[in-house]
Amino acid sequence: MALLPILTLPNPQLRQRSADVDPKFLKTPDFQVWLDDLIETMWKADGVGIAAPQVGSPLRVFIAVDGKTPHVVVNPVVTGKSWRMEDGEEGCLSVPGKYGIVRRYRSFKIKCLDRNGEKVVHEPTGFFARVLQHELDHLDGVLFIDRAKKMFNIHL
Ligand SMILES: [Zn+2]
């Protein structure tokens, strides 16, 4: 397994809109190895999510952790949102040293493909819903700092 380099601001690749993945490509050994590398890179960086553009691959793919389970999300489409929103803290591997308060939908529904190309629906509430919305934004070149009401520096 190999760790992938995580891009940080102001790298312009973080601001690109990513493209859908051809489902046939999912089955290739290269893609499967790359997914494992992406997951490993996220764990090593203590992340709870990571999106392909953060490692320089402009594809609509991200990893989002629910509890301890990393879910591979490919070509997500939003199919529902709660009317209720809530504020919460967020940080990002591509924005080191900072966190912020971001308003997100309390629950959120997407349909997508998993790493084997099977159709999956995620309909989380709470923290996992927040992670999904944060990672989904990365696929459109949007970062949490664009949405944050307040920003803070992490003092170590
Ligand atoms: Zn992020």
Side-chain angles (χ1 to χ4, degrees), residues 54 92 134 138:
Q54 291 181 274
C92 181
H134 176 115
H138 274 297

Side-chain angles (χ1 to χ4, degrees), residues 114-126:
D114 69 9
R115 67 182 297 161
N116 301 310
E118 302 294 328
K119 287 180 185 168
V120 177
V121 172
H122 291 290
E123 196 173 3
T125 294

Side-chain angles (χ1 to χ4, degrees), residues 10-140:
N11 192 306
Q13 287 179 269
L14 293 167
R15 294 306 198 171
Q16 292 176 353
R17 189 170 193 280
S18 293
D20 275 336
V21 180
D22 182 339
K24 278 179 287 182
F25 188 52
L26 289 176
K27 307 271 187 191
T28 63
D30 279 357
F31 190 80
Q32 292 294 320
V33 168
W34 176 81
L35 279 175
D36 287 333
D37 289 346
L38 187 61
I39 292 168
E40 191 62 20
T41 300
M42 177 191 70
W43 289 138
K44 278 278 162 34
D46 281 330
V48 291
I50 192 168
Q54 291 181 274
V55 296
S57 299
L59 300 171
R60 298 187 82 77
V61 177
F62 62 76
I63 313 297
V65 177
D66 183 17
K68 288 183 175 171
T69 307
H71 293 280
V72 175
V73 173
V74 178
N75 299 348
V77 175
V78 177
T79 56
K81 297 166 180 175
S82 59
W83 60 268
R84 196 193 285 247
M85 300 186 83
E86 64 189 11
D87 292 342
E89 287 183 4
E90 286 182 32
C92 181
L93 299 177
S94 295
V95 190
K98 295 190 186 297
Y99 68 100
I101 307 297
V102 185
R103 174 153 283 202
R104 298 285 188 186
Y105 297 103
R106 189 166 180 278
S107 57
F108 203 66
K109 188 173 180 182
I110 60 170
K111 61 178 185 178
C112 61
L113 301 177
D114 69 9
R115 67 182 297 161
N116 301 310
E118 302 294 328
K119 287 180 185 168
V120 177
V121 172
H122 291 290
E123 196 173 3
T125 294
F127 188 68
F128 187 47
R130 176 171 296 276
V131 175
L132 282 184
Q133 289 167 78
H134 176 115
E135 300 309 329
L136 191 66
D137 272 349
H138 274 297
L139 307 186
D140 295 319

